[in-house]
Amino acid sequence: MGVVPLIYIKYIQLIGGYPMSLYVKDNEVNRMAERLAMLQKISKTEAVRRALRHELEREQQMPSLVERGLAFAHSLRAKAGPAAGRTADKEFIDSLYGEP
């Protein structure tokens, strides 16, 4: 491997890694990027950047699976009310199995 110029190393450190190209081989995606670029009067690259940034921000604002599960459990508990539920004593467990 050859010697890497110091300027290139500083560039890599500045951007946080190696620069990579994104090749999209889908006509529909290309048309959507071109349309968004035209409507917003920006380049296709900027249109894709904004769209991806928007989607990442939207994803990060969504509650996690754990948060959604807890919210669901709390809503069930609220619907049932404070007096809901039976004590799981021996009599209750025996009634589940049809035992006297």
Side-chain angles (χ1 to χ4, degrees):
M1 186 177 281
V3 178
V4 179
L6 185 58
I7 291 173
Y8 188 66
I9 293 172
K10 291 295 182 190
Y11 172 74
I12 291 170
Q13 291 171 347
L14 177 68
I15 64 169
Y18 289 96
M20 299 184 75
S21 296
L22 173 66
Y23 296 103
V24 178
K25 298 175 184 174
D26 185 299
N27 289 332
E28 181 184 6
V29 173
N30 186 49
R31 283 191 301 271
M32 288 189 295
E34 285 175 346
R35 183 160 185 237
L36 184 59
M38 183 186 68
L39 291 171
Q40 295 185 351
K41 295 177 179 46
I42 56 177
S43 69
K44 263 199 317 188
T45 300
E46 184 61 23
V48 171
R49 178 183 293 116
R50 288 181 185 182
L52 290 171
R53 184 176 293 132
H54 177 265
E55 284 303 303
L56 287 169
E57 288 170 357
R58 191 177 67 83
E59 268 307 309
Q60 290 170 344
Q61 290 174 357
M62 291 181 68
S64 70
L65 185 58
V66 171
E67 292 168 332
R68 291 188 343 221
L70 287 172
F72 178 71
H74 290 305
S75 71
L76 286 178
R77 184 58 141 162
K79 288 177 185 176
R86 292 177 56 180
T87 306
D89 56 8
K90 182 174 178 0
E91 180 184 342
F92 172 70
I93 293 171
D94 288 344
S95 72
L96 294 175
Y97 296 99
E99 298 181 13

